[in-house]
Amino acid sequence: MSYVLEIATSDFATTQLAVEGGADRIELCCNLGEGGTTPAYGVLKQCREKFGLPLFPIIRPRSGDFLYSGDEFACMLAEVKLCKELGFDGIVAGILLTDGSIDRSRMAKLVNAAYPMSVTFHRAFDRCRDPLHALEEIIEMGCERILTSGQQLQAPDGVELIRQLNEAAAGRIIIMPGSGVRPENIAQLAAQTGCAEFHASLRAKEKSRMEFVQPAFAGDADSYEQPGLAAHAISEMRLALTAQAG
């Protein structure tokens, strides 16, 4: 089986690390600590110009739930159109209704606006009421994959539902486990679920290169640390999957 490793990044620097580390595809975000929101225009433009592998920006106007106002949805549509103009390969999005069902009408509009870009339905799926019914709705609206942790906080804990979803999908859509996917568990996840695509963030922290440190902020991590990425883990995951396939 041929496996795909998608890495979530939080800015230009972590995207560069993921590309150099051997990622197959990038979910391009900012604010990963809040679940990911849409990057700024400059980040989008620079990443698209510099990196040739598939890049999928997340279309999420804020952190929190996945119930959006009319103005927030207008922002999402505008960002989809911008991503298409910039030449991205796909987008990542998800919208729910108050009762926990998929917002089929608005998602269909995003999918139509994105065409011919690919669309991944993100972990809003893990907050929906009926995952197997939602699976069929998401297939019908034309999404290419679903990113899911099996409606648990981390994919290893939701492995049984992920397996059920992958079986029910029967090749009609890609089921991609994400959240808590690491070198030490990815082979087991592959064996237990039958999935071929995996999503990981591999978040790390890097110390600032500032030489001057303002004493009043010396103990403030937000002032003198920045997002990093454990790029070495990408090759470790690939080796684990190769051993599993062999």
Side-chain angles (χ1 to χ4, degrees), residues 83 145 189 196 221 227:
C83 288
R145 70 180 52 74
L189 282 170

Side-chain angles (χ1 to χ4, degrees), residues 15-245:
T15 301
Q16 186 169 33
L17 288 171
V19 171
E20 293 172 352
D24 296 307
R25 183 173 62 239
I26 300 293
E27 182 194 48
L28 185 56
C29 310
C30 67
N31 299 317
L32 272 180
E34 298 179 3
T37 55
T38 306
Y41 171 79
V43 175
L44 291 170
K45 187 173 185 293
Q46 189 76 351
C47 286
R48 181 66 290 175
E49 290 177 356
K50 294 289 185 178
F51 307 123
L53 82 172
L55 298 174
F56 283 42
I58 192 170
I59 304 299
R60 190 180 180 208
R62 57 162 171 79
S63 60
D65 64 29
F66 301 97
L67 178 69
Y68 298 115
S69 69
D71 287 328
E72 288 173 327
F73 181 66
C75 292
M76 296 172 77
L77 274 175
E79 288 164 345
V80 169
K81 292 174 183 177
L82 172 62
C83 288
K84 183 158 65 171
E85 290 171 3
L86 289 173
F88 282 96
D89 306 275
I91 60 159
V92 181
I95 311 178
L96 300 179
L97 297 173
T98 56
D99 64 357
S101 61
I102 304 298
D103 189 335
R104 296 176 62 183
S105 174
R106 284 178 165 181
M107 273 305 302
K109 290 177 182 177
L110 288 184
V111 172
N112 288 338
Y115 184 82
M117 293 188 297
S118 173
V119 178
T120 297
F121 196 100
H122 61 42
R123 290 186 63 218
F125 182 86
D126 290 323
R127 282 76 163 177
C128 77
R129 179 184 296 273
D130 184 341
L132 291 173
H133 179 68
L135 169 70
E136 298 301 326
E137 292 182 320
I138 293 169
I139 291 172
E140 184 178 342
M141 67 182 62
C143 293
E144 184 174 319
R145 70 180 52 74
I146 296 173
L147 169 62
T148 178
S149 57
Q151 299 209 316
Q152 300 296 318
L153 292 178
Q154 295 196 333
D157 299 318
V159 69
E160 179 56 28
L161 177 57
I162 297 171
R163 182 192 62 78
Q164 291 178 28
L165 290 165
N166 196 44
E167 289 183 356
R172 296 174 296 158
I173 194 170
I174 296 164
I175 303 299
M176 180 171 62
S179 184
V181 176
R182 302 183 180 92
E184 59 267 26
N185 62 28
I186 193 169
Q188 185 176 10
L189 282 170
Q192 291 176 324
T193 64
C195 294
E197 296 194 8
F198 295 88
H199 172 99
S201 62
L202 306 179
R203 280 183 288 165
K205 287 288 187 180
E206 292 187 359
K207 287 187 176 181
S208 169
R209 293 180 293 163
M210 286 292 297
E211 294 178 0
F212 170 74
V213 175
Q214 170 57 252
F217 294 90
D220 179 27
D222 288 339
S223 294
Y224 294 104
E225 286 185 349
Q226 55 202 43
L229 189 139
H232 62 87
I234 301 173
S235 59
E236 292 173 7
M237 289 193 295
R238 198 174 301 283
L239 286 171
L241 288 171
T242 299
Q244 164 65 29

